[in-house]
Amino acid sequence: GGVRPGARVAPAQPGWNRGPPAGGAPTSSELHAVSERGGHILAVVDASDRHGAVLGNLHVTRWPVVVGRALDSDLILDEAHLAAKHLELHAGTDDSVRGFLTSQVNGALLEGEQLSPGQEFVWRAGQSLCLGRIRLGLRMRATPLPAEQPFEPSSGTELARSSALLVLLLALSVFVSWLDVREPDRFTQTLPVFLVGLGGVVALWSAAWALMSKLFSGRPQFLRHVRIACTTLLLSQLSTAVLQMLAFMLSWAWMARFENHATSIVLATGIWFHLRAIAPQRGRMLGMVVVALAALGLGTTMGSQWLQNQRLSSQMYMTALFPPQLRLVEGVPAKQFVDELADLRPALDKRLKDGSAENAEDDSDD
């Protein structure tokens, strides 16, 4: 019915604390650890799979610590790419330990830096160390704990935020479409179809990303992907409006010509946030991939436009006009405007001549 006065209570077994199985974890990788009884916890080594799901932690009560597949290791990792004794951890400073790779074939990856077998290194608290398909994290006794994060047990707040963003997106899209409308009656008739169509596109797009989230991280996060999609579309429309307005206010037509490129950059950023929600541990690598693909796409588009039309954008002039009161630069007299247009005549004649020559060649080939 209790503990007798003066009785000694055995300390908890420090070692491998196993949690519930995480979705997406490698079925062939089971982690175990052996640690001495008693003593103060000097550090904690966390282990997670390649998707970021935490598999457990090792309470370190003495140095050195041996990591490998051998049964006499302190931290036993059932990972085919590890040696019997792959890594030794020795005491270091208050926020780091000294590591030595005792493997002969495979090394490790420390914060993106490749470490070779036999190499000695310093592993600081908070840095990620990858051994094969397993990612290790280090927390020292002196490592400050991050602030407690608020927990929302229900999805009510999340649903409210997602709904508010969706309503804002629909309202802004309707307003932008209304500015360009030429037949008000027809616009009113097609408005319900427009709203349902845009909402359906956002829902299907978010559902596709939620399916990938479920496959890779075990959680669909549908509402999170809805917020990312709505925010991306909102920012793309705002970037287009800002560039068009600045081009009109400052008479910088080139800003309006590149509004499509700005939209592409915003969309690429949104895709990166979707990918980061799926694999938060791979954010840096995924960001580099998205940047490379976006740069390749923009470079190819601009290069194609230059080869075909001798310009980097498909737009030749500003497509949006605003109230004259918004202009920050003074207009030019009509005569000066006409005289400046005359300077364009030689270039237009040359373009027309080149086009006629190409059409004549096409006719001769036919």
Side-chain angles (χ1 to χ4, degrees), residues 61-146:
T61 59
R62 59 172 174 79
W63 303 108
V65 170
V66 178
V67 180
R69 289 188 296 161
L71 295 181
D72 57 347
S73 299
D74 298 290
L75 177 59
I76 305 174
L77 305 177
D78 186 11
E79 167 59 43
H81 301 90
L82 268 63
K85 294 187 177 181
H86 196 92
L87 171 66
E88 287 186 5
L89 299 176
H90 296 262
T93 62
D94 290 340
D95 65 341
S96 66
V97 297
R98 293 185 296 110
F100 181 74
L101 290 169
T102 55
S103 62
Q104 301 295 324
V105 179
N106 297 316
L109 198 66
L110 178 62
E111 289 292 309
E113 178 184 356
Q114 183 65 46
L115 303 177
S116 304
Q119 182 174 346
E120 187 174 355
F121 61 96
V122 176
W123 185 18
R124 301 188 181 281
Q127 291 183 329
S128 174
L129 180 66
C130 294
L131 304 180
R133 296 174 298 176
I134 297 176
R135 184 185 303 270
L136 300 181
L138 175 66
R139 181 157 64 93
M140 302 296 295
R141 187 177 184 86
T143 303
L145 289 175

Side-chain angles (χ1 to χ4, degrees), residues 22-260:
T27 56
S28 61
S29 298
E30 291 183 286
L31 291 82
H32 309 278
V34 177
S35 179
E36 294 181 345
R37 282 186 177 272
H40 296 290
I41 298 177
L42 305 175
V44 176
V45 178
D46 297 315
S48 59
D49 62 14
R50 55 185 175 179
H51 303 304
V54 177
L55 302 175
N57 55 68
L58 170 68
H59 294 175
V60 180
T61 59
R62 59 172 174 79
W63 303 108
V65 170
V66 178
V67 180
R69 289 188 296 161
L71 295 181
D72 57 347
S73 299
D74 298 290
L75 177 59
I76 305 174
L77 305 177
D78 186 11
E79 167 59 43
H81 301 90
L82 268 63
K85 294 187 177 181
H86 196 92
L87 171 66
E88 287 186 5
L89 299 176
H90 296 262
T93 62
D94 290 340
D95 65 341
S96 66
V97 297
R98 293 185 296 110
F100 181 74
L101 290 169
T102 55
S103 62
Q104 301 295 324
V105 179
N106 297 316
L109 198 66
L110 178 62
E111 289 292 309
E113 178 184 356
Q114 183 65 46
L115 303 177
S116 304
Q119 182 174 346
E120 187 174 355
F121 61 96
V122 176
W123 185 18
R124 301 188 181 281
Q127 291 183 329
S128 174
L129 180 66
C130 294
L131 304 180
R133 296 174 298 176
I134 297 176
R135 184 185 303 270
L136 300 181
L138 175 66
R139 181 157 64 93
M140 302 296 295
R141 187 177 184 86
T143 303
L145 289 175
E148 181 182 3
Q149 299 295 322
F151 176 70
E152 299 176 359
S154 65
S155 59
T157 303
E158 194 175 6
L159 179 60
R161 294 175 182 173
S162 304
S163 302
L165 279 174
L166 182 58
V167 171
L168 183 59
L169 172 63
L170 295 176
L172 181 60
S173 301
V174 170
F175 177 71
V176 172
S177 301
W178 176 78
L179 291 177
D180 296 333
V181 70
R182 292 178 176 81
E183 299 180 11
D185 295 338
R186 181 173 178 80
F187 175 76
T188 304
Q189 295 174 359
T190 58
L191 181 59
V193 178
F194 173 78
L195 293 176
V196 173
L198 181 58
V201 168
V202 172
L204 290 176
W205 176 263
S206 303
W209 284 106
L211 177 60
M212 287 188 286
S213 294
K214 180 64 176 179
L215 293 176
F216 288 98
S217 65
R219 297 183 301 158
Q221 306 183 80
F222 175 74
L223 293 178
R224 181 177 180 181
H225 288 293
V226 168
R227 293 196 300 274
I228 294 174
C230 292
T231 303
T232 302
L233 293 177
L234 281 170
L235 290 178
S236 66
Q237 294 191 18
L238 290 177
S239 65
T240 299
V242 169
L243 289 177
Q244 289 179 348
M245 182 170 292
L246 289 177
F248 177 81
M249 295 170 61
L250 303 174
S251 291
W252 290 349
W254 61 269
M255 298 187 71
R257 293 173 188 160
F258 289 97
E259 62 183 44
N260 293 334

Side-chain angles (χ1 to χ4, degrees), residues 288-357:
M288 296 174 60
V289 172
V290 171
V291 168
L293 293 178
L296 178 62
L298 288 176
T300 302
T301 303
M302 290 189 293
S304 176
Q305 285 293 331
W306 180 260
L307 292 176
Q308 295 179 6
N309 304 314
Q310 301 300 310
R311 59 177 182 269
L312 298 177
S313 175
S314 60
Q315 295 179 330
M316 299 179 59
Y317 44 81
M318 293 186 294
T319 58
L321 296 177
F322 298 92
Q325 294 82 1
L326 296 178
R327 288 183 59 83
L328 299 179
V329 295
E330 297 181 358
V332 299
K335 185 177 184 305
Q336 179 182 347
F337 178 74
V338 173
D339 293 341
E340 292 177 354
L341 288 178
D343 297 336
L344 300 176
R345 184 65 179 268
L348 294 176
D349 290 341
K350 184 178 182 300
R351 180 74 60 85
L352 181 61
K353 182 179 180 181
D354 294 341
S356 301

